[in-house]
Amino acid sequence: MATYLVSMLNGLAMGALLFAIALGLSLVFGMMDVLNLAHGAVYLVGAYVAVALVADGGGALTFVAAVLLAAGAGAVLGTVLAGLSRATPRHLDQALLTLGVSLVVAEALSMAFGDDVHSITAPAPVAGGVTVLGQTYPLYRLLVIGFGVLLAVGVHVLVERSRLGSLIRATVADRGMVSALGVNTGRVLTGVFAAGAGLAAVGGVLAGPILGAAPGLDEKVLLLALVVVVVGGLGSVRGALLGAVLIGQVQALGTTLLPEYASFLIFGAMGLVLLLRPAGLLPARTAVHA
């Protein structure tokens, strides 16, 4: 029993990472109707920032610096992608454009860091383990779970309880009306795009001590993030959270019980959800909501 409970903790840690990564996809899709296929490449930027700064562990301040640097780099990439997306309003053009950006970024990272798989050590203050259910469990993964909880609460407060959240929801609901009131809606949407990309890069840093960094990881992470968004419901923040927790649990339990079929179980779970609820578990109604 303890083994399965520890596996569930692993699933929660993976779910927290997937939520941070998929949240940006969900926000951008819900607000701008843009499917950003460069999202995985932005995640990879964060992972390689971790390789450059904290590959051998380091202190808490160095790790925080890596998180902030990755968030800034992701936000810059998101701002560029937002501008490019506005210049190409058709969905197919946006998909091809973001896919092209993804390939360029991934190739540039491969040239800079090589094709090797890089392992990353957790920062020294949380590199050890704690006893959970009689077993030693990595303290860092508990930190990741805590980050996911704080992120979910923070996004809920921001979207539902703040003036900025009201402005974002109003922009999604009626962009023309908000613009007529003198609000620069383009700046609002670009800010959300940048924030979503920044979160993906932060996810890359946080996932470094768990998944490492390697070429091709951007595609795997993008695929998982898309599964989370589809399972949760397109454009829904709450759906992204529920989808991330579900897919994280399926992956963790699948790895424990049927490791050779773990990947298939994820897509099986997605197919089952779509069969029962074609729009996802918690689809957005008309606007972004937490």
Side-chain angles (χ1 to χ4, degrees):
M1 179 60 72
T3 300
Y4 294 115
L5 291 176
V6 169
S7 177
M8 291 179 68
L9 281 177
N10 287 333
L12 286 176
M14 189 63 193
L17 290 174
L18 288 176
F19 175 58
I21 299 164
L23 180 59
L25 270 180
S26 189
L27 285 173
V28 170
F29 186 88
M31 289 191 65
M32 304 176 70
D33 198 24
V34 173
L35 183 57
N36 176 22
L37 296 183
H39 206 66
V42 179
Y43 162 88
L44 201 57
V45 168
Y48 278 110
V49 167
V51 170
L53 296 183
V54 296
D56 298 324
L61 290 179
T62 306
F63 193 79
V64 171
V67 169
L68 295 177
L69 180 60
V76 170
L77 275 172
T79 302
V80 173
L81 288 166
L84 293 175
S85 299
R86 281 200 297 272
T88 52
R90 293 198 313 166
H91 285 170
L92 180 59
D93 292 342
Q94 290 171 347
L96 292 175
L97 179 66
T98 55
L99 179 61
V101 172
S102 174
L103 294 175
V104 170
V105 172
E107 183 62 27
L109 291 172
S110 181
M111 291 174 63
F113 291 91
D115 294 331
D116 297 331
V117 177
H118 298 269
S119 60
I120 300 169
T121 305
V126 291
V130 294
T131 301
V132 177
L133 303 172
Q135 298 189 28
T136 301
Y137 191 78
L139 180 58
Y140 180 78
R141 295 194 180 221
L142 294 178
L143 175 70
V144 171
I145 294 173
F147 168 80
V149 173
L150 289 176
L151 179 62
V153 173
V155 170
H156 173 76
V157 172
L158 175 66
V159 174
E160 296 289 348
R161 306 293 182 187
S162 73
R163 189 170 181 273
L164 177 60
S166 299
L167 179 61
I168 291 173
R169 286 184 283 115
T171 302
V172 175
D174 195 336
R175 192 179 307 180
M177 178 63 74
V178 175
S179 181
L181 295 175
V183 176
N184 188 333
T185 55
R187 188 175 298 176
V188 174
L189 297 176
T190 298
V192 173
F193 208 128
L199 274 176
V202 169
V205 176
L206 294 178
I210 299 175
L211 303 177
L217 193 56
D218 54 327
E219 299 171 2
K220 296 178 181 177
V221 168
L222 174 63
L223 189 57
L224 283 175
L226 288 172
V227 169
V228 167
V229 173
V230 170
V231 167
L234 298 175
S236 168
V237 176
R238 289 180 299 175
L241 175 61
L242 184 57
V245 172
L246 176 62
I247 295 302
Q249 291 298 333
V250 170
Q251 186 183 49
L253 290 175
T255 302
T256 300
L257 299 175
L258 300 167
E260 64 272 27
Y261 300 112
S263 299
F264 298 102
L265 291 175
I266 290 174
F267 293 102
M270 182 180 72
L272 181 61
V273 169
L274 293 181
L275 184 64
L276 299 175
R277 295 180 66 89
L281 294 172
L282 291 172
R285 293 186 290 268
T286 56
V288 171
H289 58 92

Coordinates of all heavy atoms in Angstrom, one line a residue, residues 53-97:
L53 N 23.0 26.8 -15.1 CA 23.2 27.5 -13.8 C 23.2 26.5 -12.6 O 24.0 26.8 -11.6 CB 22.1 28.6 -13.6 CG 22.1 29.7 -14.6 CD1 21.0 30.7 -14.2 CD2 23.5 30.4 -14.6
V54 N 22.4 25.5 -12.6 CA 22.3 24.7 -11.4 C 22.4 23.2 -11.7 O 21.9 22.4 -11.0 CB 20.9 25.0 -10.7 CG1 20.9 26.4 -10.2 CG2 19.8 24.7 -11.7
A55 N 23.2 22.8 -12.8 CA 23.3 21.4 -13.1 C 23.8 20.6 -11.9 O 23.4 19.4 -11.7 CB 24.1 21.2 -14.3
D56 N 24.7 21.1 -11.2 CA 25.3 20.4 -10.1 C 24.7 20.8 -8.7 O 25.3 20.7 -7.7 CB 26.8 20.7 -10.0 CG 27.5 20.2 -11.3 OD1 27.1 19.1 -11.8 OD2 28.5 20.8 -11.8
G57 N 23.5 21.2 -8.7 CA 22.8 21.6 -7.5 C 22.9 23.1 -7.2 O 22.3 23.9 -7.8
G58 N 23.8 23.4 -6.3 CA 24.0 24.8 -6.0 C 23.1 25.2 -4.8 O 22.3 24.4 -4.3
G59 N 23.1 26.5 -4.5 CA 22.3 27.0 -3.4 C 20.9 27.4 -3.8 O 20.6 27.4 -5.0
A60 N 20.1 27.8 -2.8 CA 18.7 28.2 -3.1 C 18.7 29.5 -3.9 O 17.8 29.6 -4.8 CB 18.0 28.4 -1.8
L61 N 19.6 30.4 -3.6 CA 19.6 31.7 -4.4 C 19.9 31.4 -5.8 O 19.3 32.1 -6.7 CB 20.6 32.6 -3.7 CG 20.2 33.2 -2.4 CD1 21.3 34.1 -1.8 CD2 18.8 33.9 -2.5
T62 N 20.8 30.6 -6.1 CA 21.2 30.3 -7.5 C 20.0 29.6 -8.2 O 19.7 30.0 -9.4 CB 22.4 29.3 -7.6 OG1 23.5 29.8 -6.8 CG2 22.9 29.1 -9.0
F63 N 19.3 28.8 -7.5 CA 18.1 28.1 -8.1 C 17.0 29.2 -8.4 O 16.4 29.1 -9.5 CB 17.6 27.0 -7.2 CG 16.6 26.1 -7.9 CD1 17.0 25.1 -8.8 CD2 15.2 26.3 -7.7 CE1 16.1 24.3 -9.4 CE2 14.3 25.4 -8.4 CZ 14.8 24.4 -9.2
V64 N 16.8 30.1 -7.5 CA 15.8 31.1 -7.7 C 16.2 32.0 -8.8 O 15.4 32.4 -9.6 CB 15.6 31.9 -6.4 CG1 14.8 33.2 -6.6 CG2 15.0 31.1 -5.3
A65 N 17.5 32.3 -8.9 CA 18.0 33.1 -10.1 C 17.7 32.4 -11.4 O 17.3 33.0 -12.4 CB 19.5 33.4 -9.9
A66 N 17.9 31.1 -11.4 CA 17.6 30.3 -12.6 C 16.1 30.4 -13.0 O 15.8 30.5 -14.2 CB 18.1 28.8 -12.4
V67 N 15.3 30.3 -12.0 CA 13.8 30.4 -12.2 C 13.5 31.8 -12.8 O 12.7 31.9 -13.8 CB 13.1 30.1 -10.9 CG1 11.6 30.5 -11.1 CG2 13.2 28.7 -10.5
L68 N 14.0 32.8 -12.2 CA 13.7 34.2 -12.7 C 14.3 34.4 -14.1 O 13.6 35.0 -14.9 CB 14.3 35.2 -11.7 CG 13.7 35.2 -10.3 CD1 14.4 36.2 -9.4 CD2 12.2 35.5 -10.4
L69 N 15.5 33.9 -14.3 CA 16.1 34.1 -15.7 C 15.2 33.3 -16.7 O 15.0 33.8 -17.8 CB 17.5 33.6 -15.7 CG 18.3 33.7 -17.0 CD1 18.3 35.2 -17.5 CD2 19.7 33.1 -16.9
A70 N 14.8 32.1 -16.4 CA 14.0 31.3 -17.3 C 12.7 32.0 -17.5 O 12.2 32.1 -18.7 CB 13.8 29.9 -16.7
A71 N 12.1 32.5 -16.5 CA 10.8 33.2 -16.6 C 10.9 34.4 -17.6 O 10.1 34.7 -18.4 CB 10.3 33.7 -15.3
G72 N 12.0 35.2 -17.4 CA 12.3 36.3 -18.3 C 12.5 35.9 -19.7 O 11.9 36.5 -20.6
A73 N 13.3 34.9 -19.9 CA 13.5 34.4 -21.3 C 12.2 33.9 -21.9 O 12.0 34.2 -23.1 CB 14.6 33.3 -21.3
G74 N 11.5 33.2 -21.1 CA 10.2 32.7 -21.7 C 9.2 33.8 -22.0 O 8.5 33.7 -23.0
A75 N 9.2 34.8 -21.1 CA 8.3 36.0 -21.4 C 8.7 36.7 -22.7 O 7.8 37.1 -23.5 CB 8.3 36.9 -20.2
V76 N 10.0 36.8 -22.9 CA 10.5 37.5 -24.1 C 10.1 36.7 -25.4 O 9.5 37.2 -26.4 CB 12.0 37.6 -24.1 CG1 12.5 38.1 -25.5 CG2 12.4 38.6 -23.1
L77 N 10.3 35.3 -25.3 CA 9.8 34.5 -26.4 C 8.3 34.6 -26.6 O 7.8 34.6 -27.7 CB 10.2 33.0 -26.1 CG 11.6 32.6 -26.5 CD1 12.0 31.2 -26.0 CD2 11.8 32.7 -28.1
G78 N 7.6 34.6 -25.5 CA 6.1 34.7 -25.6 C 5.7 36.0 -26.2 O 4.7 36.0 -27.0
T79 N 6.4 37.1 -25.9 CA 6.0 38.4 -26.5 C 6.3 38.3 -28.0 O 5.4 38.9 -28.8 CB 6.9 39.5 -25.9 OG1 6.7 39.5 -24.5 CG2 6.6 40.8 -26.5
V80 N 7.4 37.7 -28.4 CA 7.7 37.6 -29.9 C 6.6 36.8 -30.5 O 6.1 37.1 -31.6 CB 9.1 37.0 -30.1 CG1 9.3 36.7 -31.6 CG2 10.1 38.0 -29.5
L81 N 6.3 35.6 -29.9 CA 5.2 34.7 -30.5 C 3.9 35.4 -30.6 O 3.1 35.2 -31.5 CB 5.2 33.5 -29.7 CG 6.4 32.5 -29.8 CD1 6.3 31.5 -28.7 CD2 6.3 31.9 -31.2
A82 N 3.6 36.2 -29.6 CA 2.3 36.9 -29.6 C 2.2 37.9 -30.8 O 1.2 38.0 -31.5 CB 2.1 37.7 -28.3
G83 N 3.3 38.6 -31.0 CA 3.3 39.5 -32.2 C 3.2 38.8 -33.5 O 2.5 39.2 -34.4
L84 N 3.9 37.6 -33.6 CA 3.9 36.9 -34.8 C 2.5 36.3 -35.0 O 2.0 36.2 -36.2 CB 4.9 35.7 -34.8 CG 6.4 36.2 -34.8 CD1 7.3 35.0 -34.6 CD2 6.7 36.9 -36.1
S85 N 1.8 35.9 -34.0 CA 0.5 35.3 -34.1 C -0.5 36.3 -34.5 O -1.4 35.9 -35.3 CB 0.1 34.7 -32.7 OG 1.0 33.7 -32.3
R86 N -0.4 37.5 -34.1 CA -1.3 38.6 -34.5 C -1.2 38.9 -36.0 O -2.1 39.3 -36.7 CB -1.2 39.8 -33.7 CG -1.8 39.8 -32.3 CD -2.0 41.2 -31.7 NE -0.8 41.9 -31.6 CZ 0.0 41.8 -30.5 NH1 -0.4 41.1 -29.5 NH2 1.1 42.5 -30.4
A87 N 0.1 38.7 -36.5 CA 0.3 39.0 -37.9 C -0.2 37.9 -38.8 O -0.3 38.1 -40.0 CB 1.8 39.2 -38.1
T88 N -0.5 36.7 -38.2 CA -0.9 35.6 -39.0 C -2.2 35.0 -38.4 O -2.2 34.1 -37.6 CB 0.1 34.5 -39.1 OG1 0.5 34.1 -37.7 CG2 1.3 34.9 -39.8
P89 N -3.4 35.6 -38.7 CA -4.6 35.3 -38.0 C -5.2 33.9 -38.3 O -5.9 33.4 -37.5 CB -5.6 36.4 -38.4 CG -5.0 36.9 -39.7 CD -3.6 36.7 -39.7
R90 N -4.8 33.3 -39.4 CA -5.3 32.0 -39.7 C -4.7 30.9 -38.8 O -3.5 30.9 -38.6 CB -5.1 31.6 -41.2 CG -5.9 32.5 -42.1 CD -6.0 31.9 -43.5 NE -4.7 31.4 -44.0 CZ -4.6 30.5 -45.0 NH1 -5.7 30.1 -45.6 NH2 -3.4 30.1 -45.4
H91 N -5.5 29.9 -38.4 CA -5.1 28.9 -37.4 C -3.9 28.1 -38.0 O -2.9 27.8 -37.4 CB -6.2 28.0 -37.1 CG -7.2 28.6 -36.1 ND1 -8.4 28.1 -35.7 CD2 -7.1 29.7 -35.4 CE1 -9.0 28.8 -34.9 NE2 -8.2 29.9 -34.6
L92 N -4.1 27.7 -39.3 CA -3.0 26.8 -39.9 C -1.7 27.6 -40.0 O -0.6 27.0 -39.7 CB -3.5 26.4 -41.3 CG -2.5 25.5 -42.1 CD1 -2.2 24.3 -41.3 CD2 -3.0 25.2 -43.5
D93 N -1.8 28.9 -40.3 CA -0.6 29.7 -40.4 C 0.1 29.8 -39.0 O 1.3 29.7 -38.9 CB -0.9 31.1 -41.0 CG -1.3 31.0 -42.4 OD1 -1.0 30.0 -43.1 OD2 -1.9 32.0 -42.9
Q94 N -0.7 30.0 -38.0 CA -0.2 30.1 -36.7 C 0.5 28.8 -36.2 O 1.5 28.8 -35.6 CB -1.3 30.5 -35.7 CG -1.9 31.9 -35.9 CD -3.1 32.1 -35.1 OE1 -3.7 31.2 -34.5 NE2 -3.5 33.4 -34.9
A95 N -0.2 27.7 -36.5 CA 0.4 26.4 -36.2 C 1.7 26.2 -36.8 O 2.7 25.8 -36.2 CB -0.6 25.3 -36.5
L96 N 1.8 26.5 -38.1 CA 3.0 26.3 -38.9 C 4.1 27.3 -38.4 O 5.3 26.9 -38.3 CB 2.8 26.5 -40.4 CG 1.9 25.4 -41.0 CD1 1.7 25.8 -42.5 CD2 2.6 24.0 -41.0
L97 N 3.7 28.5 -38.1 CA 4.7 29.5 -37.6 C 5.3 29.1 -36.3 O 6.5 29.1 -36.1 CB 4.0 30.8 -37.5 CG 4.9 32.0 -37.0 CD1 6.0 32.3 -38.0 CD2 4.0 33.2 -36.8

